[in-house]
Amino acid sequence: MSNIQETKLTDDQLIQAEFDALLEEYLQSNHRRKVERITKAFNLANQAHAGAKRRSGEPYIIHPLAVARIVCGEMGLGSTSISAALLHDVVEDTEYTVEDIKNMFGPKIAQIVDGLTKISGGIFGEQASAQAENFRKLLLTMSDDIRVILIKIADRLHNMRTLGSMPPAKQYKIAGETLYLYAPLAHRLGLFTMKTELEDLSFKYEHPEEYKSISDKLKATEEQRNRLFNLFREPVDEKLKAMGLNYEMKARVKSVYSIWNKMEAKNVSFEDIYDIYAVRIIFDPLPGVDEKNQCWDIYSLITDIYRIRPDRIRDWVSRPKANGYQALHLTVMGPDGEWVEIQIRSRRMDEIAEKGFAAHWKYKESAVEEDTELDKWLQTITEILESPDPNALDFLDTIKLNLFSSEIFVFTPKGDMKTLPQGATSLDFAYALHTDIGNRCIGAKVNHRLVPLSHQLKSGDQVEILTSRSQEPQPEWLNFVTTARARSRIDAVLKKAKKEASKAGEEKVIAAFRKAELEANTSNLDKVSMYFGFPKREEFYYAVEKADVVLPENIKKLIKEKSDNVLFKYVKQAFGGGNKSQKKEDAKKEEEKEKPKFDKSKPYILKEEGFIRNYVLAECCKPIPGDDALGFINDDGNVVVHKRSCPIAMRLKSSFGERILNTQWSSHETAMFDATLSVKGIDSVGVLTSITKTIAEYNVNIQRLLIEANDGMFEGKIKMKVHDVEDIQHMCVALSKLKSIKSVGRIAD
């Protein structure tokens, strides 16, 4: 037998084994048996993808099979979703059409496959330019049949599990958009297990060293955790058994990504994270006893044994989260003197928490309430979709506000309840009632007490909104609204007002040109706006109208001076002034000239020769040699370097993946980079001298030192020039050893 035949046989065996595993998982579920339909879908997909291979070298059909297994085994969906998952790439990658699918499998599966095909571009594919439009399509399709997004999440989960075969630049792009979009979506749909895995896998590819370091530490402390858990569970086991309960108790370890997030947010080490594990109790309700009451019975039993922390009780049993999550959370003092979180759930609650409420709310055989919280969420999203002209990235950020929210429940004076995100303000509540009420809001009465627009609401508050006809939305309102609805409504009014102000400013500028007997052509207007530091004319006109820019008496003199200035010509060229057709031609030549520079199969080496660098440092995160970094090719063909963890970089990865480069620092022995340290501690005599003396031992150049003391404590920022991350690390270690210093760390300034 030839090698080709052997490979084929091996591939066929692999495919058959995967399909058999899928059928076995399906037959173990409690769905109606529709094996023929699944087999028919598999046979069509297998034949359509015949001969196609994935980058890893395995047959392409393995991917749809893996997605179908996730949909079946990890989401608990039935034959319709499994068949659609098997067929999800057929229309996009082969000759088959949606009409063919409809004729063979009926309208429902065809509709889901069509939805998946429509959203395969944009943020989900290579073309990022149509991103907002594709996201609109995705969310509008969701409200039609949510199985589209569930299968899309399963598809992304399998792609993340097999991301190792991709080149690094592609890994950053896919990991970035997964963390930015898919993980929040999975969380909102109640797919907690998947959300955690998506976050961990993204983190693993973006920060491999940190991922390995935390994973190793978790492994090293596993034995100690198990010992503490066993100590904790013994007395609880005894009481639960006495109740006659059928239950399981297990320790759930915090995910690597969550631990890292907490370390970053609180600027602490792994050893300072105390809530690394939580105890989960999952029980089968006793016959004739309400499962909610049973949760409280278990709560009572635990608090008889261990001391409770009252401010950490979370009752999601009586009022579930919007994504369907139900559980009773409490925190008690463990036998080792550390706080331990306990989650109490029934088997049904656990099923929903693991496989997602979305998989259950609409597709059960019996009648189900359609008016769920998820429906309300989709309705809110649909309203945002209809708002005028959303910018692609702003639009995604607005949507993310809703994806991440935890809920509070607030009441009108008449007793009507509104669900709002945690941290929502009285202004958010006003917009939740009606756009006009939000736009005219001047304050509120919370529990009959007068409060400002920025007042944060709590669950159970009764809120009355106060309005005035003369009130209009202000730019600072955006600083304290948290709901996507409020933000999009305020944005719409502000954009309209800004447009009108720009128009009025333009008239003033043109009047000034007429007075100076100058032609108000594009070239002259560009010169003046760029002289005042505005690359866009609309921004310049707006500044003129708002009196932030005062036009000189003689504009003619200004233009003549600046036209003769070489530097001005360079600025004009950089910002794109001059003849448009010439600009396009120059840009085209420049682009063609730049293209061969970037070989994405190899890391782009960040070099510095003399005073010339082959890259630009991003102002938002100011990376330095040693930081995990990536490159972004901007419109000018320059490589802008960001930290991989930078929020702006995350947006770029999810929106302009094709422009992302894998970068590598060369040795920067002579070069110096900006870095800022934040220092906090106890105010004492000579503390400033100790700090400066310690820093002086390293070959760095302090540029600015600002320290403020208050109530016996001090906070300081030290801006300096350093060679690399190692300088910073050594300094932080040395400073943290000083008696008065309580915390020290690098910050973006």
Side-chain angles (χ1 to χ4, degrees):
M1 192 186 282
S2 70
N3 285 345
I4 295 169
Q5 284 174 311
E6 276 177 28
T7 307
K8 189 174 190 317
L9 187 64
T10 310
D11 283 352
D12 288 345
Q13 286 172 337
L14 179 67
I15 293 164
Q16 191 59 47
E18 278 293 303
F19 180 59
D20 290 344
L22 169 64
L23 283 184
E24 193 180 328
E25 281 173 4
Y26 173 64
L27 291 169
Q28 283 173 2
S29 71
N30 52 10
H31 289 280
R32 284 184 297 173
R33 304 286 178 262
K34 293 188 179 176
V35 175
E36 282 179 24
R37 174 197 248 184
I38 295 171
T39 307
K40 186 179 173 185
F42 163 68
N43 288 335
L44 175 65
N46 196 16
Q47 179 252 313
H49 294 302
K53 296 273 186 184
R54 297 194 84 208
R55 186 183 278 269
S56 59
E58 65 186 10
Y60 190 84
I61 186 66
I62 294 293
H63 170 63
L65 274 166
V67 174
R69 286 188 67 182
I70 293 169
V71 162
C72 173
E74 296 178 49
M75 288 181 170
L77 298 178
S79 61
T80 302
S81 303
I82 294 167
S83 301
L86 287 166
L87 298 165
H88 80 271
D89 280 335
V90 166
V91 173
E92 190 185 354
D93 294 345
T94 74
E95 299 301 312
Y96 287 96
T97 63
V98 174
E99 198 59 38
D100 294 332
I101 303 291
K102 189 177 179 181
N103 292 336
M104 285 185 267
F105 297 94
K108 182 48 74 180
I109 289 176
Q111 182 194 356
I112 296 171
V113 172
D114 187 33
L116 287 159
T117 306
K118 279 177 181 166
I119 59 170
S120 61
I123 45 176
F124 301 105
E126 294 301 317
Q127 300 305 313
S129 55
Q131 138 170 304
E133 193 50 48
N134 276 281
F135 200 50
R136 271 197 201 82
K137 284 179 191 169
L138 161 70
L139 292 162
L140 289 169
T141 314
M142 264 176 89
S143 53
D144 199 28
D145 194 324
I146 205 159
R147 285 176 287 196
V148 172
I149 190 58
L150 292 172
I151 295 167
K152 194 72 208 174
I153 288 170
D155 175 45
R156 175 49 58 112
L157 181 58
H158 183 247
N159 283 336
M160 286 303 296
R161 285 172 178 174
T162 55
L163 197 59
S165 57
M166 291 284 186
K170 193 86 169 169
Q171 287 175 354
Y172 298 151
K173 173 199 181 296
I174 293 171
E177 73 183 18
T178 299
L179 208 51
Y180 189 71
L181 190 63
Y182 285 88
L185 265 177
H187 176 69
R188 186 60 181 197
L189 295 173
L191 302 163
F192 301 108
T193 312
M194 290 191 180
K195 170 240 182 196
T196 302
E197 189 178 349
L198 287 168
E199 285 176 342
D200 268 8
L201 287 168
S202 299
F203 180 58
K204 179 183 175 180
Y205 287 104
E206 293 212 299
H207 300 279
E209 286 173 17
E210 284 94 330
Y211 180 86
K212 187 178 183 308
S213 167
I214 295 170
S215 299
D216 289 347
K217 284 174 182 173
L218 278 175
K219 214 169 186 178
T221 54
E222 187 177 5
E223 199 177 314
Q224 186 193 355
R225 276 197 311 277
N226 289 341
R227 187 177 55 78
L228 287 172
F229 172 61
N230 289 329
L231 264 177
F232 173 88
R233 74 176 293 165
E234 275 175 26
V236 180
D237 267 334
E238 206 175 296
K239 296 252 186 177
L240 286 171
K241 280 170 186 165
M243 280 177 74
L245 270 185
N246 182 25
Y247 69 94
E248 60 176 301
M249 195 188 320
K250 53 190 178 185
R252 179 199 59 85
V253 179
K254 211 176 185 73
S255 73
V256 175
Y257 176 73
S258 297
I259 292 170
W260 178 77
N261 241 347
K262 200 157 189 177
M263 285 163 63
E264 288 289 297
K266 299 202 167 184
N267 197 19
V268 294
S269 67
F270 176 87
E271 289 68 29
D272 294 327
I273 306 285
Y274 296 116
D275 58 342
I276 280 177
Y277 82 98
V279 173
R280 190 172 285 167
I281 298 170
I282 302 156
F283 65 91
D284 295 318
L286 292 168
V289 183
D290 180 66
E291 61 180 8
K292 291 180 192 173
N293 293 340
Q294 200 121 26
C295 286
W296 287 105
D297 288 344
I298 295 169
Y299 163 89
S300 177
L301 172 154
I302 291 166
T303 52
D304 285 346
I305 304 169
Y306 295 112
R307 184 159 65 85
I308 191 165
R309 186 170 163 176
D311 62 323
R312 295 290 298 162
I313 300 168
R314 299 288 180 267
D315 176 13
W316 286 305
V317 169
S318 310
R319 195 176 288 283
K321 287 187 179 184
N323 52 22
Y325 181 80
Q326 265 185 297
L328 182 58
H329 290 201
L330 64 148
T331 302
V332 299
M333 178 71 77
D336 60 330
E338 298 293 351
W339 294 109
V340 179
E341 185 186 281
I342 303 164
Q343 301 164 0
I344 305 168
R345 303 174 180 172
S346 71
R347 190 75 58 189
R348 180 191 64 82
M349 293 172 189
D350 188 59
E351 176 81 2
I352 287 172
E354 294 302 306
K355 291 188 176 172
F357 189 55
H360 298 252
W361 68 275
K362 209 170 182 177
Y363 306 110
K364 286 185 177 176
E365 295 308 310
S366 55
V368 195
E369 278 184 47
E370 293 287 326
D371 183 25
T372 61
E373 288 296 335
L374 192 60
D375 278 337
K376 291 175 191 169
W377 176 64
L378 291 170
Q379 188 185 335
T380 308
I381 297 292
T382 311
E383 284 175 14
I384 296 161
L385 300 175
E386 290 159 4
S387 70
D389 185 36
N391 166 280
L393 291 171
D394 291 346
F395 176 75
L396 275 186
D397 282 344
T398 303
I399 296 294
K400 275 187 73 188
L401 284 174
N402 269 33
L403 293 178
F404 276 127
S405 63
S406 298
E407 291 73 26
I408 59 169
F409 306 96
V410 186
F411 299 88
T412 67
K414 290 181 180 176
D416 295 333
M417 191 183 81
K418 292 283 176 188
T419 304
L420 291 170
Q422 193 83 40
T425 59
S426 42
L427 185 57
D428 286 307
F429 181 75
Y431 276 103
L433 296 174
H434 195 279
T435 301
D436 288 343
I437 294 175
N439 288 342
R440 302 284 173 232
C441 180
I442 54 168
K445 281 185 178 176
V446 173
N447 305 326
H448 310 292
R449 189 170 58 86
L450 203 61
V451 297
L453 300 179
S454 57
H455 176 80
Q456 284 200 0
L457 302 174
K458 296 193 293 292
S459 262
D461 280 346
Q462 187 195 66
V463 187
E464 181 189 347
I465 297 298
L466 310 173
T467 59
S468 164
R469 285 186 182 179
S470 61
Q471 178 70 296
E472 285 182 350
Q474 305 299 314
E476 57 270 21
W477 286 12
L478 291 169
N479 298 332
F480 53 76
V481 290
T482 63
T483 60
R485 179 191 175 97
R487 185 170 288 275
S488 63
R489 297 298 188 270
I490 296 165
D491 262 334
V493 175
L494 293 178
K495 278 178 185 172
K496 189 181 174 190
K498 192 169 183 179
K499 208 171 181 181
E500 287 168 3
S502 293
K503 193 76 188 156
E506 184 180 9
E507 286 167 11
K508 286 182 181 175
V509 173
I510 289 170
F513 268 78
R514 284 202 199 103
K515 189 181 173 186
E517 297 177 350
L518 262 177
E519 190 186 345
N521 57 26
T522 307
S523 175
N524 285 340
L525 289 167
D526 276 343
K527 285 174 184 176
V528 176
S529 66
M530 282 187 289
Y531 169 76
F532 288 104
F534 295 93
K536 289 185 179 176
R537 284 201 303 269
E538 290 72 23
E539 298 287 338
F540 169 58
Y541 298 149
Y542 181 73
V544 169
E545 176 60 20
K546 291 291 174 189
D548 293 337
V549 165
V550 180
L551 293 170
E553 285 296 315
N554 192 347
I555 286 181
K556 191 184 279 187
K557 187 182 174 190
L558 181 149
I559 285 178
K560 187 174 186 308
E561 277 177 12
K562 289 296 149 196
S563 296
D564 295 338
N565 188 317
V566 177
L567 180 62
F568 180 79
K569 285 178 183 172
Y570 168 75
V571 172
K572 176 180 145 185
Q573 186 183 9
F575 283 116
N579 179 285
K580 281 188 181 176
S581 60
Q582 182 60 44
K583 265 194 326 188
K584 279 183 183 172
E585 192 60 40
D586 291 347
K588 197 175 175 185
K589 281 179 187 170
E590 198 63 33
E591 202 177 318
E592 284 167 6
K593 193 171 77 182
E594 293 290 349
K595 270 182 185 171
K597 262 191 183 179
F598 309 113
D599 178 359
K600 292 189 182 179
S601 64
K602 297 175 190 167
Y604 181 78
I605 307 298
L606 304 171
K607 291 184 286 199
E608 177 153 341
E609 289 161 7
F611 293 104
I612 299 167
R613 290 175 180 169
N614 66 344
Y615 60 92
V616 179
L617 292 171
E619 280 299 311
C620 49
C621 56
K622 294 185 177 165
I624 63 177
D627 280 330
D628 284 344
L630 54 80
F632 170 71
I633 307 163
N634 69 7
D635 292 339
D636 300 329
N638 295 323
V639 174
V640 182
V641 181
H642 288 264
K643 282 189 194 174
R644 280 187 224 156
S645 56
C646 166
I648 303 292
M650 189 179 281
R651 291 176 65 172
L652 294 172
K653 282 180 282 183
S654 64
S655 313
F656 305 102
E658 73 286 351
R659 296 200 196 178
I660 299 297
L661 291 175
N662 177 23
T663 59
Q664 191 178 309
W665 299 97
S666 67
S667 60
H668 286 68
E669 290 165 8
T670 55
M672 299 290 272
F673 296 84
D674 288 334
T676 305
L677 283 185
S678 167
V679 187
K680 293 177 186 176
I682 298 162
D683 190 21
S684 57
V685 178
V687 69
L688 183 58
T689 310
S690 305
I691 291 170
T692 50
K693 195 176 173 185
T694 304
I695 293 172
E697 291 172 18
Y698 299 89
N699 187 18
V700 298
N701 179 10
I702 296 179
Q703 292 181 294
R704 191 176 74 227
L705 197 154
L706 176 67
I707 287 190
E708 288 181 87
N710 191 17
D711 292 335
M713 301 295 288
F714 78 86
E715 284 189 31
K717 282 185 184 178
I718 308 161
K719 190 175 180 183
M720 59 187 88
K721 291 273 189 188
V722 300
H723 293 102
D724 53 28
V725 168
E726 217 171 286
D727 280 355
I728 295 282
Q729 288 168 344
H730 289 154
M731 263 184 288
C732 285
V733 170
L735 287 168
S736 64
K737 288 177 181 173
L738 296 177
K739 195 177 174 184
S740 302
I741 306 285
K742 292 300 169 195
S743 74
V744 58
R746 179 178 160 205
I747 56 167
D749 187 27

